[in-house]
Amino acid sequence: AQSVTQLGSHVSVSEGALVLLRCNYSSSVPPYLFWYVQYPNQGLQLLLKYTSAATLVKGINGFEAEFKKSETSFHLTKPSAHMSDAAEYFCAVRRRAAGNKLTFGGGTRVLVKP
Amino acid sequence: DTAVSQTPKYLVTQMGNDKSIKCEQNLGHDTMYWYKQDSKKFLKIMFSYNNKELIINETVPNRFSPKSPDKAHLNLHINSLELGDSAVYFCASSQEMNEQFFGPGTRLTVL
């Protein structure tokens, strides 16, 4: 069974600093990969997705992620953190033959310090 | 206009009761989902319906029964509620296997 691991359940960054959230997947075949953001007391919003086109994917709010097959990783970055980036971030995978079933990582909470 | 809506937003009830959570989407999507998010924020799919037909049914107690009266609605009925059912339940929808859009969630507390 495929799985996805997010390293670090909490990340604290200073405003203006780089945001780096780590995601690794286990799958013999590269799956589709997603990053979602969840603001407090809200549902999930799609930040970006990888579906086997370009390995560097740009998303909303200045976020981007790079698919690295050799490392089975799909880390999320943002060059300069903003206070509004404080939220919970989820990496998710979808196996190509599994319908539209998303398997989520455990989530990483981002705290932005002024 | 809300794309995926859920009612109620909060639900507090006693053990043993039966309750329902409603979900509606106005996106014209053909597939709807229910996810459960536990107290540690772990998210797991429960069910998926495509054109009113059940296509994903994870290992969920049979006390949970999804009902899809039409493509725009997927309700979740829970019988004999237990303490462990306390969680946030999210509804989502998609057009075929495209991006899933999530509702705001329903926080269920079982006392």
Side-chain angles (χ1 to χ4, degrees):
Chain A
Q2 66 179 356
S3 67
V4 55
T5 303
Q6 291 182 240
L7 293 176
S9 58
H10 293 80
V11 167
S12 181
V13 298
S14 298
E15 193 173 17
L18 171 73
V19 179
L20 169 61
L21 305 182
R22 301 178 186 275
C23 173
N24 288 87
Y25 67 90
S26 63
S27 175
S28 56
V29 176
Y32 295 129
L33 293 153
F34 307 81
W35 275 100
Y36 282 85
V37 61
Q38 183 180 24
Y39 297 104
N41 298 315
Q42 293 187 29
L44 280 74
Q45 180 182 5
L46 182 67
L47 278 177
L48 48 80
K49 61 183 178 183
Y50 168 75
T51 56
S52 78
T55 55
L56 182 62
V57 182
K58 293 189 184 298
I60 62 171
N61 302 340
F63 284 93
E64 63 180 36
E66 185 173 9
F67 171 71
K68 291 186 177 180
K69 182 179 177 180
S70 60
E71 298 177 8
T72 60
S73 69
F74 190 56
H75 301 333
L76 181 71
T77 60
K78 181 173 180 177
S80 177
H82 191 272
M83 296 299 291
S84 62
D85 295 326
E88 190 92 23
Y89 292 80
F90 292 93
C91 183
V93 302
R94 193 192 96 201
R95 200 157 45 91
R96 291 160 194 262
N100 210 5
K101 174 184 170 182
L102 289 174
T103 300
F104 286 89
T108 299
R109 175 163 292 182
V110 172
L111 172 66
V112 182
K113 299 177 292 185
Chain B
D1 287 341
T2 303
V4 182
S5 60
Q6 296 178 226
T7 53
K9 188 169 176 62
Y10 299 97
L11 183 54
V12 181
T13 188
Q14 300 286 333
M15 278 177 54
N17 285 350
D18 302 338
K19 291 293 179 184
S20 291
I21 306 172
K22 296 185 176 182
C23 177
E24 177 181 2
Q25 55 94 5
N26 63 6
L27 298 167
H29 289 166
D30 60 3
T31 306
M32 297 184 72
Y33 313 79
W34 277 108
Y35 288 85
K36 179 181 180 180
Q37 186 175 45
D38 64 23
S39 59
K40 296 184 178 179
K41 299 284 187 178
F42 183 68
L43 265 163
K44 186 172 169 60
I45 191 167
M46 300 173 69
F47 302 103
S48 170
Y49 267 74
N50 176 267
N51 284 318
K52 298 173 55 181
E53 181 181 347
L54 182 66
I55 57 172
I56 295 175
N57 185 357
E58 292 295 288
T59 308
V60 176
N62 57 15
R63 298 182 294 104
F64 290 79
S65 53
K67 288 183 171 53
S68 181
D70 54 57
K71 284 194 334 180
H73 296 84
L74 181 61
N75 303 323
L76 183 64
H77 189 75
I78 315 170
N79 289 326
S80 303
L81 278 156
E82 300 178 357
L83 292 176
D85 297 333
S86 295
V88 181
Y89 292 84
F90 287 100
C91 178
S93 74
S94 71
Q95 181 58 31
E96 297 178 342
M97 289 198 273
N98 293 318
E99 173 190 349
Q100 293 183 29
F101 290 80
F102 284 77
T106 295
R107 183 175 294 275
L108 171 65
T109 302
V110 182
L111 303 176

